[in-house]
Amino acid sequence: MRTVVITGAGTATCQGVIKALRLQTEIPVRIVVADCDQYVAGRYLADAFELVPFANDPAFTDRVIEITRKHNADLLVPIVDMEFLGISERRADFPCTVGISSVETLTNCLEKDRTYTVLDELGLMHPRVYPASDRDESTYPKFIKPRIGRASLDTYRANNRAELELALAHVKDPLVTEFVEGVEMTIDTLSSMKGAWIGGCVRVREMTKSGVSTKGLVVYNGTVLGQARQIVERLGITGPACLQCFNTESGPVWFEVNPRFGGGTILSVAAGFNSPLFLLKSVLGMSVDGYAPTPVARMMRFWQEVFIDGRGNQIIPGESPTASARRSSGVA
């Protein structure tokens, strides 16, 4: 039995990684999740739950190290961007493999202007960046987002100077770029912890909510996948990544490189690219062969509820109180 610890149990991303590891039958896995909120659905999808401080708390990384030791973890999968630098800085202190990139790589991914510099070096397209003081009316619409941000929070489209000023007042450390239109794509990729490319899967983001894909389509696009590999290898990403671009008539325009699993990774998993499983196999020194595509092509998401009683025990509608109590206590 192998143990995987995953942070961010309240996120769709963590829950997708859990589902991916549950779908496979090659490796028996015990899943431990952690979150700063004890009332999160991911807690009830896992085998164990641990409460942690907020990621900006100085005690956060020590607590995660403690959890990996307590559960004799084989792999830690950090999920939330704010956790990454603190965890990566102390990778040597963990008793297990940490599925995350180096501090330098993380910084180049998390800070969008640094990412664009790397794209320039590769000769790949990205949105044109404007100074906030730009007064050329021909450059609208513009797009405003935090230079360091996540989950599409505090992002705005400005159609004129007044809207730009309003957006700038709401965004701390803003990055102002051209507004790009095209087919929005996410590319789920995986590299070994030594940086060797394992593979990737391209999906069209047909509908999103709070930056997470709620309706998607798997496609094959050799140009997009090839450029994604160039970016991943140039940045030195180890472990998972999800990259985003707009595929335009002129080619892919790249705007995000996230050094982690994506919120819609489960679609790639269902299509045959089970990157959480491949990461675990790679960490364990097992062979990771090219993935075999499945007939799955499209994803449509729906809500799924988790119910608990006053003591925090899960209740399944239609299940008898006796059965719920026996399950919560671990009695077969």
PDB file of all heavy atoms in Angstrom, residues 175-201:
ATOM      1  N   LEU A 175      -0.993  43.420 -14.119  1.00  0.00           N
ATOM      2  CA  LEU A 175      -0.345  43.236 -15.413  1.00  0.00           C
ATOM      3  C   LEU A 175      -1.400  43.560 -16.462  1.00  0.00           C
ATOM      4  O   LEU A 175      -2.485  42.980 -16.458  1.00  0.00           O
ATOM      5  CB  LEU A 175       0.146  41.798 -15.569  1.00  0.00           C
ATOM      6  CG  LEU A 175       0.985  41.486 -16.815  1.00  0.00           C
ATOM      7  CD1 LEU A 175       2.352  42.169 -16.715  1.00  0.00           C
ATOM      8  CD2 LEU A 175       1.172  39.983 -16.980  1.00  0.00           C
ATOM      9  N   VAL A 176      -1.076  44.496 -17.355  1.00  0.00           N
ATOM     10  CA  VAL A 176      -2.022  44.932 -18.386  1.00  0.00           C
ATOM     11  C   VAL A 176      -1.562  44.374 -19.726  1.00  0.00           C
ATOM     12  O   VAL A 176      -0.426  44.606 -20.149  1.00  0.00           O
ATOM     13  CB  VAL A 176      -2.108  46.468 -18.455  1.00  0.00           C
ATOM     14  CG1 VAL A 176      -3.115  46.889 -19.519  1.00  0.00           C
ATOM     15  CG2 VAL A 176      -2.488  47.046 -17.096  1.00  0.00           C
ATOM     16  N   THR A 177      -2.437  43.642 -20.394  1.00  0.00           N
ATOM     17  CA  THR A 177      -2.080  43.034 -21.671  1.00  0.00           C
ATOM     18  C   THR A 177      -3.168  43.277 -22.702  1.00  0.00           C
ATOM     19  O   THR A 177      -4.266  43.757 -22.381  1.00  0.00           O
ATOM     20  CB  THR A 177      -1.882  41.507 -21.534  1.00  0.00           C
ATOM     21  OG1 THR A 177      -3.161  40.874 -21.368  1.00  0.00           O
ATOM     22  CG2 THR A 177      -0.986  41.156 -20.359  1.00  0.00           C
ATOM     23  N   GLU A 178      -2.871  42.932 -23.928  1.00  0.00           N
ATOM     24  CA  GLU A 178      -3.902  42.971 -24.960  1.00  0.00           C
ATOM     25  C   GLU A 178      -4.945  41.895 -24.662  1.00  0.00           C
ATOM     26  O   GLU A 178      -4.667  40.901 -23.983  1.00  0.00           O
ATOM     27  CB  GLU A 178      -3.292  42.737 -26.336  1.00  0.00           C
ATOM     28  CG  GLU A 178      -2.764  41.326 -26.557  1.00  0.00           C
ATOM     29  CD  GLU A 178      -2.287  41.093 -27.978  1.00  0.00           C
ATOM     30  OE1 GLU A 178      -2.960  41.565 -28.918  1.00  0.00           O
ATOM     31  OE2 GLU A 178      -1.250  40.439 -28.143  1.00  0.00           O
ATOM     32  N   PHE A 179      -6.138  42.099 -25.163  1.00  0.00           N
ATOM     33  CA  PHE A 179      -7.203  41.113 -25.017  1.00  0.00           C
ATOM     34  C   PHE A 179      -7.144  40.186 -26.228  1.00  0.00           C
ATOM     35  O   PHE A 179      -7.274  40.638 -27.364  1.00  0.00           O
ATOM     36  CB  PHE A 179      -8.560  41.807 -24.931  1.00  0.00           C
ATOM     37  CG  PHE A 179      -9.702  40.883 -24.671  1.00  0.00           C
ATOM     38  CD1 PHE A 179     -10.022  40.494 -23.383  1.00  0.00           C
ATOM     39  CD2 PHE A 179     -10.461  40.382 -25.717  1.00  0.00           C
ATOM     40  CE1 PHE A 179     -11.080  39.628 -23.132  1.00  0.00           C
ATOM     41  CE2 PHE A 179     -11.518  39.517 -25.484  1.00  0.00           C
ATOM     42  CZ  PHE A 179     -11.823  39.139 -24.189  1.00  0.00           C
ATOM     43  N   VAL A 180      -6.919  38.910 -25.979  1.00  0.00           N
ATOM     44  CA  VAL A 180      -6.746  37.940 -27.053  1.00  0.00           C
ATOM     45  C   VAL A 180      -7.998  37.072 -27.173  1.00  0.00           C
ATOM     46  O   VAL A 180      -8.539  36.611 -26.160  1.00  0.00           O
ATOM     47  CB  VAL A 180      -5.519  37.042 -26.799  1.00  0.00           C
ATOM     48  CG1 VAL A 180      -5.356  36.012 -27.918  1.00  0.00           C
ATOM     49  CG2 VAL A 180      -4.263  37.894 -26.675  1.00  0.00           C
ATOM     50  N   GLU A 181      -8.432  36.842 -28.394  1.00  0.00           N
ATOM     51  CA  GLU A 181      -9.568  35.954 -28.634  1.00  0.00           C
ATOM     52  C   GLU A 181      -9.119  34.765 -29.465  1.00  0.00           C
ATOM     53  O   GLU A 181      -8.282  34.894 -30.362  1.00  0.00           O
ATOM     54  CB  GLU A 181     -10.691  36.713 -29.333  1.00  0.00           C
ATOM     55  CG  GLU A 181     -11.321  37.790 -28.464  1.00  0.00           C
ATOM     56  CD  GLU A 181     -12.508  38.439 -29.126  1.00  0.00           C
ATOM     57  OE1 GLU A 181     -12.303  39.218 -30.071  1.00  0.00           O
ATOM     58  OE2 GLU A 181     -13.651  38.167 -28.706  1.00  0.00           O
ATOM     59  N   GLY A 182      -9.669  33.620 -29.157  1.00  0.00           N
ATOM     60  CA  GLY A 182      -9.329  32.395 -29.858  1.00  0.00           C
ATOM     61  C   GLY A 182      -9.944  31.226 -29.120  1.00  0.00           C
ATOM     62  O   GLY A 182     -10.709  31.396 -28.168  1.00  0.00           O
ATOM     63  N   VAL A 183      -9.610  30.014 -29.533  1.00  0.00           N
ATOM     64  CA  VAL A 183     -10.099  28.814 -28.858  1.00  0.00           C
ATOM     65  C   VAL A 183      -9.253  28.603 -27.617  1.00  0.00           C
ATOM     66  O   VAL A 183      -8.039  28.384 -27.704  1.00  0.00           O
ATOM     67  CB  VAL A 183     -10.012  27.582 -29.786  1.00  0.00           C
ATOM     68  CG1 VAL A 183     -10.481  26.334 -29.036  1.00  0.00           C
ATOM     69  CG2 VAL A 183     -10.844  27.803 -31.042  1.00  0.00           C
ATOM     70  N   GLU A 184      -9.878  28.669 -26.437  1.00  0.00           N
ATOM     71  CA  GLU A 184      -9.134  28.548 -25.187  1.00  0.00           C
ATOM     72  C   GLU A 184      -8.819  27.082 -24.909  1.00  0.00           C
ATOM     73  O   GLU A 184      -9.718  26.238 -24.867  1.00  0.00           O
ATOM     74  CB  GLU A 184      -9.926  29.147 -24.029  1.00  0.00           C
ATOM     75  CG  GLU A 184      -9.123  29.221 -22.736  1.00  0.00           C
ATOM     76  CD  GLU A 184      -9.856  29.937 -21.623  1.00  0.00           C
ATOM     77  OE1 GLU A 184     -10.985  30.419 -21.856  1.00  0.00           O
ATOM     78  OE2 GLU A 184      -9.300  30.014 -20.521  1.00  0.00           O
ATOM     79  N   MET A 185      -7.549  26.803 -24.728  1.00  0.00           N
ATOM     80  CA  MET A 185      -7.089  25.431 -24.510  1.00  0.00           C
ATOM     81  C   MET A 185      -6.268  25.320 -23.230  1.00  0.00           C
ATOM     82  O   MET A 185      -5.555  26.255 -22.855  1.00  0.00           O
ATOM     83  CB  MET A 185      -6.225  24.959 -25.679  1.00  0.00           C
ATOM     84  CG  MET A 185      -6.959  24.807 -26.990  1.00  0.00           C
ATOM     85  SD  MET A 185      -5.854  24.217 -28.305  1.00  0.00           S
ATOM     86  CE  MET A 185      -7.056  23.804 -29.584  1.00  0.00           C
ATOM     87  N   THR A 186      -6.380  24.164 -22.584  1.00  0.00           N
ATOM     88  CA  THR A 186      -5.499  23.813 -21.485  1.00  0.00           C
ATOM     89  C   THR A 186      -4.760  22.546 -21.867  1.00  0.00           C
ATOM     90  O   THR A 186      -5.348  21.624 -22.431  1.00  0.00           O
ATOM     91  CB  THR A 186      -6.288  23.565 -20.181  1.00  0.00           C
ATOM     92  OG1 THR A 186      -6.832  24.806 -19.726  1.00  0.00           O
ATOM     93  CG2 THR A 186      -5.391  23.010 -19.088  1.00  0.00           C
ATOM     94  N   ILE A 187      -3.475  22.520 -21.561  1.00  0.00           N
ATOM     95  CA  ILE A 187      -2.658  21.355 -21.864  1.00  0.00           C
ATOM     96  C   ILE A 187      -2.153  20.793 -20.543  1.00  0.00           C
ATOM     97  O   ILE A 187      -1.388  21.438 -19.828  1.00  0.00           O
ATOM     98  CB  ILE A 187      -1.467  21.712 -22.790  1.00  0.00           C
ATOM     99  CG1 ILE A 187      -1.981  22.346 -24.090  1.00  0.00           C
ATOM    100  CG2 ILE A 187      -0.662  20.458 -23.113  1.00  0.00           C
ATOM    101  CD1 ILE A 187      -2.281  23.822 -24.009  1.00  0.00           C
ATOM    102  N   ASP A 188      -2.618  19.605 -20.186  1.00  0.00           N
ATOM    103  CA  ASP A 188      -2.145  18.916 -18.987  1.00  0.00           C
ATOM    104  C   ASP A 188      -0.862  18.180 -19.352  1.00  0.00           C
ATOM    105  O   ASP A 188      -0.851  17.378 -20.294  1.00  0.00           O
ATOM    106  CB  ASP A 188      -3.192  17.914 -18.490  1.00  0.00           C
ATOM    107  CG  ASP A 188      -4.472  18.599 -18.051  1.00  0.00           C
ATOM    108  OD1 ASP A 188      -4.383  19.590 -17.304  1.00  0.00           O
ATOM    109  OD2 ASP A 188      -5.558  18.155 -18.466  1.00  0.00           O
ATOM    110  N   THR A 189       0.227  18.449 -18.616  1.00  0.00           N
ATOM    111  CA  THR A 189       1.495  17.793 -18.917  1.00  0.00           C
ATOM    112  C   THR A 189       2.062  17.137 -17.665  1.00  0.00           C
ATOM    113  O   THR A 189       1.667  17.451 -16.542  1.00  0.00           O
ATOM    114  CB  THR A 189       2.542  18.780 -19.470  1.00  0.00           C
ATOM    115  OG1 THR A 189       3.026  19.616 -18.401  1.00  0.00           O
ATOM    116  CG2 THR A 189       1.960  19.647 -20.565  1.00  0.00           C
ATOM    117  N   LEU A 190       3.000  16.233 -17.893  1.00  0.00           N
ATOM    118  CA  LEU A 190       3.695  15.596 -16.775  1.00  0.00           C
ATOM    119  C   LEU A 190       5.136  15.333 -17.170  1.00  0.00           C
ATOM    120  O   LEU A 190       5.422  14.854 -18.270  1.00  0.00           O
ATOM    121  CB  LEU A 190       3.024  14.273 -16.384  1.00  0.00           C
ATOM    122  CG  LEU A 190       3.657  13.600 -15.157  1.00  0.00           C
ATOM    123  CD1 LEU A 190       3.354  14.407 -13.890  1.00  0.00           C
ATOM    124  CD2 LEU A 190       3.157  12.169 -14.993  1.00  0.00           C
ATOM    125  N   SER A 191       6.025  15.671 -16.247  1.00  0.00           N
ATOM    126  CA  SER A 191       7.446  15.364 -16.388  1.00  0.00           C
ATOM    127  C   SER A 191       7.880  14.596 -15.146  1.00  0.00           C
ATOM    128  O   SER A 191       7.260  14.715 -14.079  1.00  0.00           O
ATOM    129  CB  SER A 191       8.274  16.649 -16.504  1.00  0.00           C
ATOM    130  OG  SER A 191       7.840  17.429 -17.602  1.00  0.00           O
ATOM    131  N   SER A 192       8.920  13.807 -15.278  1.00  0.00           N
ATOM    132  CA  SER A 192       9.443  13.100 -14.116  1.00  0.00           C
ATOM    133  C   SER A 192      10.052  14.109 -13.148  1.00  0.00           C
ATOM    134  O   SER A 192      10.267  15.278 -13.496  1.00  0.00           O
ATOM    135  CB  SER A 192      10.511  12.089 -14.534  1.00  0.00           C
ATOM    136  OG  SER A 192      11.722  12.756 -14.868  1.00  0.00           O
ATOM    137  N   MET A 193      10.361  13.679 -11.938  1.00  0.00           N
ATOM    138  CA  MET A 193      10.953  14.576 -10.968  1.00  0.00           C
ATOM    139  C   MET A 193      12.398  14.897 -11.321  1.00  0.00           C
ATOM    140  O   MET A 193      13.042  15.703 -10.643  1.00  0.00           O
ATOM    141  CB  MET A 193      10.838  13.991  -9.557  1.00  0.00           C
ATOM    142  CG  MET A 193       9.402  13.838  -9.066  1.00  0.00           C
ATOM    143  SD  MET A 193       8.363  15.313  -9.350  1.00  0.00           S
ATOM    144  CE  MET A 193       9.224  16.540  -8.367  1.00  0.00           C
ATOM    145  N   LYS A 194      12.906  14.284 -12.376  1.00  0.00           N
ATOM    146  CA  LYS A 194      14.224  14.645 -12.907  1.00  0.00           C
ATOM    147  C   LYS A 194      14.089  15.530 -14.145  1.00  0.00           C
ATOM    148  O   LYS A 194      15.089  15.877 -14.771  1.00  0.00           O
ATOM    149  CB  LYS A 194      15.015  13.387 -13.233  1.00  0.00           C
ATOM    150  CG  LYS A 194      15.382  12.552 -11.998  1.00  0.00           C
ATOM    151  CD  LYS A 194      16.232  11.346 -12.375  1.00  0.00           C
ATOM    152  CE  LYS A 194      16.611  10.552 -11.127  1.00  0.00           C
ATOM    153  NZ  LYS A 194      17.436   9.353 -11.473  1.00  0.00           N
ATOM    154  N   GLY A 195      12.854  15.849 -14.521  1.00  0.00           N
ATOM    155  CA  GLY A 195      12.618  16.762 -15.627  1.00  0.00           C
ATOM    156  C   GLY A 195      12.422  16.114 -16.974  1.00  0.00           C
ATOM    157  O   GLY A 195      12.325  16.810 -17.986  1.00  0.00           O
ATOM    158  N   ALA A 196      12.334  14.787 -17.032  1.00  0.00           N
ATOM    159  CA  ALA A 196      12.130  14.105 -18.317  1.00  0.00           C
ATOM    160  C   ALA A 196      10.653  14.179 -18.714  1.00  0.00           C
ATOM    161  O   ALA A 196       9.769  13.844 -17.920  1.00  0.00           O
ATOM    162  CB  ALA A 196      12.582  12.654 -18.222  1.00  0.00           C
ATOM    163  N   TRP A 197      10.406  14.594 -19.948  1.00  0.00           N
ATOM    164  CA  TRP A 197       9.036  14.713 -20.452  1.00  0.00           C
ATOM    165  C   TRP A 197       8.370  13.339 -20.481  1.00  0.00           C
ATOM    166  O   TRP A 197       8.917  12.373 -21.012  1.00  0.00           O
ATOM    167  CB  TRP A 197       9.067  15.308 -21.849  1.00  0.00           C
ATOM    168  CG  TRP A 197       7.756  15.339 -22.584  1.00  0.00           C
ATOM    169  CD1 TRP A 197       7.307  14.439 -23.489  1.00  0.00           C
ATOM    170  CD2 TRP A 197       6.740  16.340 -22.485  1.00  0.00           C
ATOM    171  NE1 TRP A 197       6.077  14.813 -23.981  1.00  0.00           N
ATOM    172  CE2 TRP A 197       5.696  15.972 -23.387  1.00  0.00           C
ATOM    173  CE3 TRP A 197       6.600  17.519 -21.746  1.00  0.00           C
ATOM    174  CZ2 TRP A 197       4.554  16.742 -23.550  1.00  0.00           C
ATOM    175  CZ3 TRP A 197       5.446  18.280 -21.905  1.00  0.00           C
ATOM    176  CH2 TRP A 197       4.443  17.891 -22.797  1.00  0.00           C
ATOM    177  N   ILE A 198       7.154  13.240 -19.913  1.00  0.00           N
ATOM    178  CA  ILE A 198       6.388  12.000 -19.939  1.00  0.00           C
ATOM    179  C   ILE A 198       5.259  12.094 -20.955  1.00  0.00           C
ATOM    180  O   ILE A 198       5.002  11.153 -21.708  1.00  0.00           O
ATOM    181  CB  ILE A 198       5.842  11.664 -18.537  1.00  0.00           C
ATOM    182  CG1 ILE A 198       7.023  11.291 -17.603  1.00  0.00           C
ATOM    183  CG2 ILE A 198       4.827  10.521 -18.602  1.00  0.00           C
ATOM    184  CD1 ILE A 198       6.619  11.055 -16.165  1.00  0.00           C
ATOM    185  N   GLY A 199       4.570  13.225 -21.002  1.00  0.00           N
ATOM    186  CA  GLY A 199       3.510  13.372 -21.990  1.00  0.00           C
ATOM    187  C   GLY A 199       2.563  14.502 -21.653  1.00  0.00           C
ATOM    188  O   GLY A 199       2.746  15.240 -20.677  1.00  0.00           O
ATOM    189  N   GLY A 200       1.535  14.638 -22.494  1.00  0.00           N
ATOM    190  CA  GLY A 200       0.556  15.686 -22.277  1.00  0.00           C
ATOM    191  C   GLY A 200      -0.739  15.403 -23.010  1.00  0.00           C
ATOM    192  O   GLY A 200      -0.808  14.514 -23.864  1.00  0.00           O
ATOM    193  N   CYS A 201      -1.773  16.143 -22.667  1.00  0.00           N
ATOM    194  CA  CYS A 201      -3.091  15.981 -23.274  1.00  0.00           C
ATOM    195  C   CYS A 201      -3.701  17.368 -23.448  1.00  0.00           C
ATOM    196  O   CYS A 201      -3.661  18.194 -22.531  1.00  0.00           O
ATOM    197  CB  CYS A 201      -3.981  15.119 -22.380  1.00  0.00           C
ATOM    198  SG  CYS A 201      -5.613  14.743 -23.072  1.00  0.00           S
TER     199      CYS A 201
END
